Amino acid sequence: MREEAESVLRQDPVMAEIVERHDPYEEPDWTEYERLCISIINQQVSTASAAAIRERVFDVLDGEVTPETVMAADEDALYEAGLSRSKIGYVRNAAEAFQENDYTRSGLTDHTNEEVIDALTEIKGIGDWTARMYLLFVLERPDILPLGDLAVRRGIENLYADDGEELTRAEMREIAETWRPHRSVATRYIWAEYEAD
């Protein structure tokens, strides 16, 4: 799948250079619930801050991030690790949802992207952006282009726009048409390039 995707992406000269420079698949193999917690931690904070908070929160949980450990964790310890009170509520809402429903890869196999988004956004604290991160990173749906993500938009502008020019989302979608049906892989490369700058 990845080789096929990269073959398509290399037809775009800009993307061809990025494919040569990065390996966007270096992150650990998180569980479904861990990845959802990471996306909640990442909401509206910089990449560096999110990574530091994630490390401290995971330390509080002794590296065992499950619905059960999150529900049992001391709230003040999570707060001191960098989670806001609202985000503590969100990871616990997600924990309860995971205990009640099957949000695993196998459990959502037969669900469309929109059905997954609808199901996840019923959990308080999970919005459209977080649901799309879940589609991309956990379910590994092949053609996700999360233009609600600031880093993706800035990354596309840095690569494809003239200096200082802002692109509309419609223009970004047009650029991304040549990446279909592998926009998820393209997104990973755009993030890798953006974070390397």
Side-chain angles (χ1 to χ4, degrees):
M1 175 68 80
R2 183 177 168 186
E3 288 181 6
E4 178 187 328
E6 290 175 353
S7 175
V8 170
L9 297 181
R10 282 193 176 94
Q11 294 172 29
D12 174 336
V14 174
M15 196 59 70
E17 291 185 18
I18 299 171
V19 168
E20 292 304 315
R21 282 201 292 268
H22 300 287
D23 179 2
Y25 289 86
E26 292 179 331
E27 71 170 24
D29 186 21
W30 309 109
T31 68
E32 292 94 337
Y33 179 68
E34 282 175 327
R35 196 65 187 76
L36 188 58
C37 286
I38 290 166
S39 290
I40 291 170
I41 291 168
N42 290 354
Q43 290 172 1
Q44 299 178 322
V45 295
S46 71
T47 302
S49 295
I53 293 168
R54 181 190 73 218
E55 190 170 321
R56 292 195 299 268
V57 169
F58 280 32
D59 282 346
V60 167
L61 300 168
D62 293 324
E64 189 179 345
V65 184
T66 66
E68 293 71 28
T69 60
V70 167
M71 295 302 289
D74 180 75
E75 184 171 325
D76 288 338
L78 292 173
Y79 182 75
E80 288 166 13
L83 274 190
S84 65
R85 298 289 179 190
S86 59
K87 285 190 178 181
I88 292 168
Y90 298 162
V91 295
R92 287 186 165 165
N93 292 342
E96 289 178 354
F98 264 71
Q99 288 173 326
E100 294 168 4
N101 300 287
D102 187 355
Y103 293 114
T104 63
R105 294 176 185 92
S106 58
L108 294 172
T109 296
D110 295 331
H111 290 62
T112 67
N113 291 347
E114 290 309 315
E115 286 170 344
V116 172
I117 291 170
D118 288 346
L120 289 174
T121 53
E122 286 179 6
I123 304 167
K124 186 176 181 185
I126 308 297
D128 185 80
W129 177 85
T130 306
R132 290 183 188 280
M133 295 302 101
Y134 200 80
L135 284 170
L136 199 155
F137 285 106
V138 176
L139 304 185
E140 297 181 331
R141 299 291 170 91
D143 201 35
I144 306 300
L145 181 70
L147 292 180
D149 187 271
L150 180 63
V152 172
R153 296 198 306 276
R154 292 288 178 269
I156 292 173
E157 286 176 341
N158 290 348
L159 291 165
Y160 291 90
D162 295 328
D163 286 344
E165 181 188 0
E166 288 190 12
L167 298 175
T168 66
R169 293 194 189 198
E171 288 171 327
M172 293 180 191
R173 287 190 194 95
E174 187 175 339
I175 289 166
E177 276 302 303
T178 60
W179 308 337
R180 283 184 182 273
H182 302 289
R183 292 182 298 175
S184 294
V185 177
T187 295
R188 284 176 177 262
Y189 277 107
I190 288 164
W191 266 317
E193 177 75 5
Y194 181 76
E195 289 173 5
D197 285 345

